[in-house]
Amino acid sequence: MMAESNEFLSSPPKKTVRFGGKVTDVLSNYSQGNQNDFELLKHQLSDPEIKDGQIINWLRELRASVNYLTIDYEQLVSIVLKLPWLTRSREVVEEYLAFLGNLVSAQTVYLRPCMNMVVSHFVPAHVTIREGNVHITDSEDENEDIVPKFNTCHRTLQLIARYVPSAPRFLMPILVEKFPYIKKSSRVMECYIHNLLRITVYFPMLRLEILQLIIEKLLKIDVSASRHDIEDAEENASTANKQMSTEEALFNMDEDEEPEQSSVNFISEKMAHPAAERLDLGLSVLFSYIRDLCFTTGSFDLNKAKDLYKDLLAVFDKLVLPTHASCHVQFAIFYICSFKLGLAEAFLEHLWKKLQNPNNAPIIRQTAASYIGSFLARAKFIPVVTVKACLDLLVNWLHGYIDNQDAGSRAFCDITFHGPFYAACQAVFYTLIFRHKHLLDGDLRKGLSYLQGLNFERIVMCQLNPLKICLPSVVNFFAAITRKYQLVFCYTIIERNNRQMIPIIRSSAGGEIAQTVSNPLDSFFPFDPCVLKRCKILIDPIYQPWEESNAEELKGPRTPVKPGDTPDDEDDFLQGNTPQNDGLVETPGSFDPYLKSPSSVGSPPAYKFLQRPF
């Protein structure tokens, strides 16, 4: 390879037709006020029909003249940077790289324009198709082989950094500026995120900032696409496909056609919701990057995983934790925690410190509690011993909180003063709902003794009255479980709370309306089911879904269930199927409509981050 390169550099350039003098003469004349040859040079370099041999000749002369290419010749350098070099022959690419190296080392004023040019090629080329003067379409060229181009771009950035070691420091603002608009096509978003993450491999000092940039952009998409909207789009698309397939079948007269060939059995991996499709592709690239970085040569690398976890946790604290009701971006930290129990325990400990620290804002403490409860409930990789340790911490903190309030003047139900307390109560109730089987597994007597030792009765009966504040669906399931195992009887308090429930009167354009606030904490469970098709392939094996058998076992003669016709394979916790006592009016949680899962999703094969072809 080196021999070929030397042969190329030493071989004379091919003869080509050109006008004007040499570049050095042109620049010298331009500095003396003669602009004719300079304008001719610019015109020839801008020619869309320029040949490879001409480009090579010009680049070689420009390389010999880089010392003269000061800021006064910015127009000329700008034209050279716009040359279509990536689509040319290997000889042109090599000569162009040599020119860029000489240019940035001799004239650092062009460092940013050069890197800006390279980053602009991180997305597929835009192709404009016209017929005469009529514009037909303007779309990404899906047929071009973009992988070699991306490889060359990353090679170029490394070459520039070799000549200018401070180049990475100037690269980050360009990456931020060039990030595609969030409503750009999913293809553009996927390619750009892929290339950003590749930069972190050879510029590791930029990893934290790049992860922050990517997650910030994905969060904006995430909060704009609720589970409810995504599932509605999937359901509508599925219905339309079935209707189309039925219509095709009615007109299909070929009786020999195999049933398997029918399009009704085809399930696309593409999301019907445009924002969900962009989010799914972006997170899939991020997940693949996380896995490939933590599993080098097929084996788990704890040191690399810990370093990446620290960066993801820093971004989580800064962006994800303060963002209310994000649905999917937080699964990035869920995913990396599944690789090693130590990472999961470190995450729980981090959240616990957030919750118990009174110096943190109450909303942050409440959100940390929601993350603890949701993580303990949904992470299949969390063992029972860790669940018990977390419950011990939470419950002891709750008892200590009650002790401190009993002697104070604020020992009454008030979410303004006691928000973190109620959030912690809900986290404990939610964890028990999902994990009570595991806690009682093996030795029922020992498990019951442990649960009795938590003294739920004191928490439920205290003057702060957490059953009035927590989500009704959580309260109903908690009441059914604690009644079944005779831990505490909650229904008397629930009935009293229902009688005391005072509707909130809100004024609107249509007059005054009465609304009962069923989610006063404005709480959500951040690790509710993932509804992105590609991401589900990675998340489902490590995820604990809601089991319908949990609700069935709690049903009895006095626990009627609200009728519903949700599919058996849906994660329908908080769907309204919560056991309750006779006489209780069920109040669904505020997030109930958002917690359905698609009844069927595609199963595209998993792919490697760095090896995946576009």
Side-chain angles (χ1 to χ4, degrees):
M1 185 69 183
M2 184 63 68
E4 291 181 8
S5 178
N6 292 336
E7 181 182 352
F8 161 72
L9 293 175
S10 61
S11 59
K14 299 177 181 179
K15 291 184 178 181
T16 56
V17 178
R18 57 179 291 180
F19 302 94
K22 292 184 177 181
V23 171
T24 51
D25 297 333
V26 172
L27 298 180
S28 177
N29 293 336
Y30 179 77
S31 64
Q32 297 174 9
N34 185 355
Q35 299 185 7
N36 293 334
D37 289 343
F38 186 76
E39 294 298 325
L40 180 60
L41 173 59
K42 287 165 52 181
H43 178 74
Q44 291 182 77
L45 288 171
S46 304
D47 184 5
E49 303 296 328
I50 190 171
K51 306 298 182 184
D52 285 7
Q54 292 175 304
I55 295 178
I56 291 173
N57 279 339
W58 286 124
L59 289 174
R60 286 184 172 175
E61 291 191 30
L62 287 166
R63 281 178 62 192
S65 309
V66 289
N67 289 329
Y68 303 102
L69 293 177
T70 61
I71 193 63
D72 297 331
Y73 301 96
E74 184 180 6
Q75 291 183 4
L76 175 62
V77 174
S78 177
I79 292 173
V80 177
L81 293 180
K82 291 177 182 177
L83 283 172
W85 62 285
L86 278 172
T87 57
R88 299 288 179 156
S89 63
R90 182 186 67 85
E91 290 80 3
V92 172
V93 171
E94 295 299 327
E95 188 62 48
Y96 197 87
L97 291 178
F99 164 73
L100 288 180
N102 286 9
L103 179 65
V104 296
S105 61
Q107 305 288 347
T108 54
V109 68
Y110 295 116
L111 175 63
R112 193 178 190 281
C114 287
M115 292 194 297
N116 195 68
M117 176 271 297
V118 175
V119 173
S120 67
H121 293 293
F122 278 176
V123 295
H126 227 53
V127 178
T128 304
I129 302 175
R130 298 177 183 273
E131 186 175 303
N133 294 324
V134 181
H135 174 83
I136 297 177
T137 185
D138 190 5
S139 61
E140 287 79 22
D141 184 0
E142 296 289 347
N143 297 319
E144 64 172 341
D145 188 7
I146 58 177
V147 174
K149 294 181 181 178
F150 290 163
N151 292 340
T152 303
C153 287
H154 291 290
R155 180 183 164 201
T156 306
L157 288 179
Q158 294 175 73
L159 175 73
I160 292 174
R162 195 180 308 150
Y163 284 100
V164 186
S166 61
R169 184 159 54 91
F170 298 95
L171 177 60
M172 197 62 218
I174 297 173
L175 299 179
V176 174
E177 179 186 331
K178 288 289 184 180
F179 202 101
Y181 180 56
I182 59 174
K183 290 191 176 181
K184 277 282 189 179
S185 75
S186 55
R187 173 79 165 167
V188 169
M189 187 77 68
E190 179 189 20
C191 290
Y192 197 80
I193 291 176
H194 173 95
N195 284 308
L196 286 186
L197 292 172
R198 282 190 65 175
I199 289 175
T200 69
V201 176
Y202 53 87
F203 290 158
M205 72 289 293
L206 296 181
R207 185 170 70 185
L208 177 58
E209 292 180 86
I210 287 177
L211 287 173
Q212 182 174 316
L213 171 62
I214 292 172
I215 290 176
E216 179 185 5
K217 299 297 183 180
L218 292 178
L219 263 177
K220 289 182 179 179
I221 303 175
D222 196 3
V223 297
S224 70
S226 68
R227 281 189 179 87
H228 180 67
D229 292 341
I230 295 173
E231 288 169 346
D232 279 354
E234 289 299 317
E235 186 177 348
N236 294 337
S238 177
T239 302
N241 289 336
K242 288 179 181 178
Q243 290 177 350
M244 186 182 301
S245 300
T246 303
E247 292 173 0
E248 290 177 357
L250 290 175
F251 290 98
N252 186 4
M253 305 302 293
D254 187 358
E255 298 180 356
D256 296 330
E257 181 182 5
E258 294 292 333
E260 289 78 12
Q261 295 177 355
S262 175
S263 60
V264 73
N265 294 327
F266 173 74
I267 301 175
S268 172
E269 71 171 15
K270 186 174 182 179
M271 301 293 298
H273 195 290
E277 173 68 5
R278 289 190 288 272
L279 183 62
D280 195 12
L281 281 171
L283 282 177
S284 296
V285 174
L286 180 59
F287 287 171
S288 297
Y289 168 80
I290 292 171
R291 179 165 187 84
D292 285 358
L293 212 61
C294 295
F295 288 85
T296 54
T297 65
S299 59
F300 181 68
D301 190 323
L302 180 58
N303 291 328
K304 288 186 176 181
K306 285 168 63 177
D307 290 341
L308 180 58
Y309 164 79
K310 290 176 182 177
D311 285 345
L312 287 173
L313 189 65
V315 179
F316 172 84
D317 282 346
K318 184 174 183 179
L319 298 176
V320 183
L321 188 63
T323 301
H324 179 68
S326 61
C327 299
H328 295 99
V329 171
Q330 55 264 30
F331 276 103
I333 197 126
F334 186 95
Y335 184 56
I336 193 172
C337 285
S338 70
F339 297 160
K340 192 76 172 178
L341 178 58
L343 297 177
E345 292 177 341
F347 182 55
L348 287 167
E349 182 181 2
H350 180 76
L351 293 171
W352 164 243
K353 289 178 179 177
K354 292 276 185 186
L355 168 62
Q356 67 170 347
N357 186 356
N359 294 323
N360 289 327
I363 188 62
I364 295 297
R365 298 173 68 190
Q366 291 172 212
T367 307
S370 296
Y371 269 93
I372 291 174
S374 192
F375 192 71
L376 290 174
R378 295 296 196 171
K380 190 183 290 186
F381 47 87
I382 298 292
V384 175
V385 63
T386 304
V387 175
K388 285 185 175 181
C390 291
L391 284 176
D392 288 339
L393 284 173
L394 288 168
V395 170
N396 287 336
W397 184 81
L398 292 176
H399 285 303
Y401 193 94
I402 294 171
D403 290 338
N404 292 333
Q405 295 302 319
D406 280 347
S409 60
R410 295 177 177 175
F412 56 89
C413 184
D414 192 321
I415 193 172
T416 304
F417 297 135
H418 310 300
F421 170 82
Y422 294 123
C425 287
Q426 183 162 275
V428 170
F429 299 163
Y430 191 72
T431 301
L432 183 69
I433 291 169
F434 273 85
R435 291 289 195 161
H436 70 276
K437 281 187 177 181
H438 302 117
L439 294 169
L440 299 171
D441 225 5
D443 191 333
L444 180 60
R445 179 176 298 178
K446 186 177 179 181
L448 283 175
S449 176
Y450 168 75
L451 291 179
Q452 289 168 356
L454 296 177
N455 196 2
F456 287 126
E457 183 175 5
R458 182 168 184 256
I459 297 173
V460 169
M461 301 292 183
C462 75
Q463 294 182 12
L464 300 180
N465 195 1
L467 295 185
K468 186 175 183 179
I469 301 298
C470 295
L471 283 171
S473 44
V474 174
V475 169
N476 287 333
F477 265 114
F478 175 75
I481 291 170
T482 52
R483 182 189 63 182
K484 177 180 179 179
Y485 296 108
Q486 299 181 11
L487 298 173
V488 59
F489 191 78
C490 302
Y491 290 109
T492 303
I493 299 175
I494 294 175
E495 289 174 354
R496 185 185 66 198
N497 289 337
N498 286 339
R499 287 194 299 269
Q500 295 175 350
M501 188 67 68
I502 301 176
I504 294 178
I505 307 300
R506 295 180 179 175
S507 179
S508 64
E512 292 186 344
I513 57 174
Q515 293 183 346
T516 301
V517 178
S518 59
N519 185 10
L521 278 172
D522 200 19
S523 57
F524 72 108
F525 300 110
F527 297 117
D528 277 333
C530 174
V531 295
L532 303 178
K533 293 181 179 180
R534 300 172 185 86
C535 293
K536 274 180 67 67
I537 305 304
L538 296 174
I539 297 300
D540 279 356
I542 57 175
Y543 188 78
Q544 178 63 53
W546 172 247
E547 298 175 359
E548 185 63 27
S549 60
N550 290 345
E552 294 295 334
E553 290 180 5
L554 297 173
K555 290 179 184 177
R558 302 187 63 213
T559 56
V561 177
K562 184 179 179 180
D565 55 355
T566 54
D568 291 340
D569 58 348
E570 289 192 0
D571 187 316
D572 59 358
F573 179 71
L574 302 185
Q575 288 299 315
N577 298 332
T578 53
Q580 56 191 30
N581 192 35
D582 280 343
L584 293 185
V585 179
E586 182 181 40
T587 309
S590 64
F591 275 73
D592 291 0
Y594 302 92
L595 299 178
K596 299 177 184 176
S597 299
S599 57
S600 60
V601 297
S603 301
Y607 55 85
K608 290 288 186 180
F609 163 69
L610 292 176
Q611 287 76 28
R612 178 176 181 267
F614 283 90

